[in-house]
Amino acid sequence: MRAIITATRLADELTGANPPVLLDVRWQLSLAKAAGAPAFDGRAAYAAGHIPGAVFVDLDRELAAAPGVHGRHPLPDLAEFGAAMRRAGVSSDRPVVVYDGGQGWAAARAWWLLRWTGHPDVRVLDGGLPSWRGELSTETPVPAEGDYRPAPAAAGLLDAEAAAALARAGVLLDARAGERYRGEVEPVDRVGGHIPGAVSAPTTENVGPDGRFLPAAELKDRFKALGVSDDTEVGVYCGSGVSGAHEVLALAVAGVPAALYVGSWSEWSSDPSRPVAVGADPQ
């Protein structure tokens, strides 16, 4: 299972002959700014203590472009993304391990981007920083420049039209909380509800109380109950392509390939001409 790695295994690999590049992508979806409170500061959390050797990666600035018509976290400019990864020491012939504060969403976004753009060996620390039992460091490393050059795959990425088509022809999973899917609440976007035909599949149900992924067999059973079979084409969306990446990661742990609609609900709902479904029924 190459999509995730345990803290014990990571500690062993960090002392090996070809230790992985470590990326710290601490980030939180925060509504604090709307209430006048300061937003979560991932860089400050990193400075206060991180796994030794880890390099901080800013999700909002390096793993996404500025918010706009394509959503709150649209795809980054790939030249800028590649430059950020090279600054962090990422090379094509060296494994990468990504972690965040434990939720897994931000780490999964970095995992998905690196995998979609061609890196052959990227894993997420299962359980994030809370699972790490070693010492933390406050030193900021200066890694040697990497050589990674993004080469996006033809598959694995959905736009709005492809997501709508997949909801009819395959299985499109909505990774947001159920109440947002049903349109009962919508704290961020223009309108609540879901893409017609999408199936509610909150990504929070892919992990246990400790934030670690459920066993692969349990995840496979979960997705099977949601309509995913061996020959099903599967896509995922969320609010802005972050928690959806975590669901794509969960599907990978279960052995199921899936595409991500990066624009997600923040893009879909911004266009009043697009249809919106509400309630528990997918349609």
Side-chain angles (χ1 to χ4, degrees):
M1 188 187 302
R2 296 293 297 178
I4 58 176
I5 184 172
T6 66
T8 301
R9 177 75 181 185
L10 174 59
D12 288 343
E13 291 194 9
L14 287 173
T15 61
N18 187 31
V21 173
L22 272 178
L23 304 181
D24 182 314
V25 197
R26 271 178 277 183
W27 171 91
Q28 290 179 13
L29 174 63
S30 175
L31 304 178
K33 290 175 68 176
F40 174 79
D41 189 338
R43 193 176 293 276
Y46 168 85
H50 50 266
I51 298 176
V55 177
F56 181 72
V57 173
D58 190 316
L59 186 149
D60 289 319
R61 293 175 174 82
E62 297 173 317
L63 304 182
V69 295
H70 294 300
R72 287 192 306 279
H73 291 106
L75 282 176
D77 177 89
L78 291 182
E80 294 179 7
F81 169 68
M85 293 299 97
R86 292 190 294 277
R87 286 195 301 271
V90 175
S91 292
S92 296
D93 62 352
R94 188 175 172 190
V96 177
V97 172
V98 191
Y99 71 88
D100 57 24
Q103 189 178 43
W105 295 4
R109 171 73 176 221
W111 168 85
W112 180 82
L113 268 170
L114 282 165
R115 291 292 294 146
W116 176 66
T117 57
H119 199 288
D121 191 352
V122 189
R123 289 163 291 169
V124 169
L125 176 58
D126 196 17
L129 188 60
S131 70
W132 179 253
R133 294 295 176 259
E135 295 183 355
L136 298 180
S137 172
T138 57
E139 296 183 6
T140 301
V142 182
E145 182 90 357
D147 66 8
Y148 187 64
R149 302 284 173 180
L157 176 67
L158 300 173
D159 60 14
E161 289 70 28
L166 185 57
R168 298 188 299 271
V171 174
L172 181 65
L173 300 176
D174 185 319
R176 298 172 301 159
E179 58 268 25
R180 291 185 71 189
Y181 170 88
R182 294 188 296 272
E184 296 165 358
V185 298
E186 182 42 66
V188 187
D189 293 313
R190 185 185 67 83
V191 65
H194 58 269
I195 297 173
V199 177
S200 181
T203 200
T204 52
E205 296 178 16
N206 294 321
V207 298
D210 59 0
R212 300 183 190 184
F213 282 104
L214 300 176
E218 291 185 27
L219 288 172
K220 193 170 183 66
D221 286 345
R222 182 191 183 219
F223 293 123
K224 182 178 180 180
L226 293 170
V228 176
S229 61
D230 291 340
D231 59 351
T232 306
E233 187 178 357
V234 182
V236 181
Y237 76 96
C238 57
S240 64
V242 179
S243 66
H246 189 263
E247 185 120 293
V248 174
L249 176 58
L251 284 154
V253 172
V256 179
L260 178 65
Y261 173 25
V262 173
S264 286
W265 190 248
S266 59
E267 178 187 41
W268 181 275
S269 64
S270 69
D271 184 346
S273 70
R274 294 194 181 108
V276 171
V278 295
D281 189 325
Q283 302 302 329

